[in-house]
Amino acid sequence: METKNTKNLNKLLYIVIVAVLCVTAIVIGITAAANRGNVTPLPQTTPPATLPPITQAPPVTEKDPTPVTPPANVLPEFSSPVVGAVAKGHDDSMPVYSMTMNDWRVHTGIDIACSIGDEVLAAADGEITGVVSDPMMGTTVTISHTGEGESIYKNLSVTLPDNVKVGTRVKAGQVIGTVGDTAMIEGADEPHLHFELKVKGASVDPLEYISEESREASLKIDDSYET
C-alpha cells in the first residue's frame, strides 16, 4: 500500500517534470524568435537588360584576280602589229598595182612599211593555228581569236621565236616574229609586214578593226598607192 510520503514524492516529481518542459518550451520559443530577427534577406537581383540583336556584317569577298575572258562570240580589240606607214591598203574587189608582178591584183591585207628585223607583235590575244612557209607570201603566222576572227602575218623572217608553233596561246603585244623579205610576189616593194584580218572567214580591212588609239600611235596612212 502506497504511503503518504511516496505520494508526495511522486507529486513533486511530476511538478518538476512539467516545470522543466515549460522552461524548455519557453527557451525554444525565444531562440526561434531571435533567429527570425537575424535572418539576412536574399539580395534582389535586377533582370539583365535586353541587348539589341547582333547584326552580322555581310561577308567580304575578294575580287577574282583572274582576268576576264572575252565572250567567244565577241571580237577582241586589235592593235597594230608593227609601227610604220601603211604603204598599201586593203581592197579585195578593186585591183591595185603590183610592182613585183607588174600587174594589177586584189590586195587582201595592208602593207605596213618598216625595217627588216623589226619585231612583229600579236594584234590581240589568241591561239596560233598556222605556221607555214607560203611559196608566194613567205613565212606566215596565223592567230585565231574570239568572235571567229583571224589575224595573219606574212612576209616574216624565216627564223621565228621557239614558242611560235601551232597550239600556243599568245597575248596581245607578244613578239611572234620579225619583218623579213620572204614574200616572193612582193619582193620589189619596200620592206614591210603584210597584215590581214578575217572575220568568219571573210577578208576585212584591218584599219577598220585596229583601235583608234593604236592607229594614232603606230600607223601613218600613206594613200599614194590609190592614185
Side-chain angles (χ1 to χ4, degrees):
M1 187 172 182
E2 188 176 17
T3 64
K4 183 177 181 181
N5 289 335
T6 301
K7 289 180 179 180
N8 290 336
L9 183 60
N10 289 337
K11 184 177 181 180
L12 179 61
L13 182 60
Y14 175 78
I15 292 171
V16 170
I17 291 172
V18 171
V20 170
L21 292 175
C22 290
V23 171
T24 301
I26 292 170
V27 171
I28 291 173
I30 293 172
T31 303
N35 288 337
R36 283 197 299 271
N38 294 329
V39 172
T40 303
L42 294 175
Q44 297 295 323
T45 58
T46 303
T50 303
L51 298 176
I54 299 175
T55 303
Q56 295 291 339
V60 177
T61 56
E62 295 184 359
K63 186 177 180 181
D64 186 358
T66 307
V68 177
T69 303
N73 61 341
V74 177
L75 282 171
E77 185 177 73
F78 292 96
S79 299
S80 175
V82 290
V83 176
V86 179
K88 188 181 294 184
H90 172 276
D91 201 324
D92 58 357
S93 58
M94 181 176 294
V96 294
Y97 181 68
S98 168
M99 294 178 60
T100 305
M101 306 305 292
N102 194 28
D103 62 8
W104 294 78
R105 58 184 61 209
V106 295
H107 194 246
T108 55
I110 60 174
D111 289 348
I112 306 174
C114 42
S115 299
I116 293 178
D118 283 356
E119 291 183 337
V120 177
L121 313 178
D125 295 354
E127 179 180 337
I128 297 176
T129 52
V131 180
V132 299
S133 178
D134 187 282
M136 303 298 286
M137 293 301 298
T139 305
T140 301
V141 172
T142 300
I143 300 176
S144 292
H145 310 280
T146 57
E148 299 183 60
E150 278 188 333
S151 56
I152 306 167
Y153 313 77
K154 298 182 178 182
N155 196 35
L156 299 174
S157 297
V158 174
T159 303
L160 299 173
D162 292 338
N163 62 338
V164 175
K165 57 187 69 176
V166 173
T168 300
R169 298 287 304 178
V170 294
K171 303 294 289 183
Q174 181 176 330
V175 176
I176 59 169
T178 57
V179 175
D181 57 355
T182 56
M184 186 183 73
I185 64 171
E186 294 187 350
D189 297 334
E190 60 186 319
H192 66 276
L193 171 72
H194 179 95
F195 179 57
E196 298 182 13
L197 276 181
K198 291 183 179 180
V199 177
K200 297 182 180 180
S203 176
V204 297
D205 186 351
L207 292 178
E208 295 180 1
Y209 290 82
I210 295 175
S211 71
E212 181 179 357
E213 180 182 3
S214 180
R215 289 199 309 270
E216 292 179 352
S218 302
L219 296 178
K220 177 181 178 182
I221 309 301
D222 180 3
D223 57 6
S224 60
Y225 63 86
E226 296 179 348
T227 59

